[in-house]
């Protein structure tokens, strides 16, 4: 996959999907809407007030072992990871009803969904699938956050190599 940060095409790393998602969003959302894309490293240690808005934030949302053992080679497991992508905007017009910030967030949500839903990142990771996030949208002090969630599956060895 040209221009994509793959460590090893045949062997995905456990958190290796994050830089692929960030690169995809930078190539699509950032270039089209001029909105920064922030990784976990960008967010870590920062105060919310110091983070740019509008922005799109990418964070690990957990995993589950979907299948292990019998239907896979010995020592391998099928992992399904969830990644949370949060468009964030700030708009204090109509702060009580929230219509203005929702209107600002909507194009970011559409751009993220268009970029990631069904996208196959390669590098051993399966296509991303939009799923219901475990977090609800929130508005606080004029900032609106709309979490979107995506899952991807990959095979991972359960043995040391």
């Amino acid at each position: 996959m040209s221009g994509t940060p793959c460590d090893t095409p045949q062997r995905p790393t456990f958190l290796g999907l994050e830089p692929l998602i960030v690169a995809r969003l930078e190539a699509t959302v950032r270039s089209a809407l001029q909105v920064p894309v922030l990784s976990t490293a960008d967010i870590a240690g920062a105060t919310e007030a110091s983070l740019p808005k509008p922005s799109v934030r990418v964070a690990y949302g957990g995993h589950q072992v979907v299948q292990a053992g019998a239907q896979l080679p010995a020592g391998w497991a099928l992992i399904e990871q969830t990644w949370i992508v949060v468009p964030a905007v700030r708009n204090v017009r109509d702060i009580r009803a929230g219509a203005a910030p929702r209107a600002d967030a909507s194009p970011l949500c559409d751009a993220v969904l268009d970029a990631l839903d069904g996208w196959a990142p390669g590098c051993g990771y399966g296509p991303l699938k939009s799923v219901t996030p475990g977090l609800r949208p929130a508005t606080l002090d004029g900032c609106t956050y709309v979490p979107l969630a995506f899952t991807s599956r990959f095979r991972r060895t359960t043995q040391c190599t």
Side-chain angles (χ1 to χ4, degrees):
M1 229 172 148
S2 177
T4 306
C6 284
D7 290 340
T8 307
Q10 308 308 324
R11 187 127 182 232
T13 61
F14 194 78
L15 296 174
L17 194 49
E18 181 181 25
L20 301 176
I21 292 171
V22 168
R24 172 74 172 184
L25 292 172
E26 285 181 339
T28 56
V29 176
R30 183 180 185 128
S31 65
L33 300 176
Q34 303 304 304
V35 173
V37 177
L38 307 175
S39 68
T40 303
D42 298 324
I43 297 167
T47 64
E48 182 56 36
S50 71
L51 295 173
K53 291 164 208 71
S55 63
V56 174
R57 297 129 187 240
V58 177
Y60 177 67
H63 73 279
Q64 64 180 348
V65 176
V66 178
Q67 187 179 75
Q71 296 180 352
L72 292 173
W76 286 85
L78 183 62
I79 305 294
E80 181 176 83
Q81 283 187 338
T82 301
W83 288 87
I84 308 296
V85 180
V86 182
V89 299
R90 185 172 199 290
N91 188 329
V92 294
R93 280 183 329 198
D94 191 27
I95 197 166
R96 180 176 243 167
R102 284 193 306 274
D104 290 349
S106 188
L108 284 177
C109 293
D110 289 337
V112 168
L113 288 164
D114 290 349
L116 296 181
D117 194 19
W119 171 62
C123 304
Y125 300 100
L128 273 70
K129 177 183 168 189
S130 182
V131 296
T132 303
L135 305 167
R136 298 174 71 158
T139 299
L140 180 63
D141 297 330
C143 297
T144 297
Y145 308 91
V146 183
L148 305 170
F150 301 88
T151 59
S152 177
R153 291 181 174 190
F154 64 95
R155 289 187 348 166
R156 180 166 189 325
T157 183
T158 59
Q159 298 176 347
C160 296
T161 56

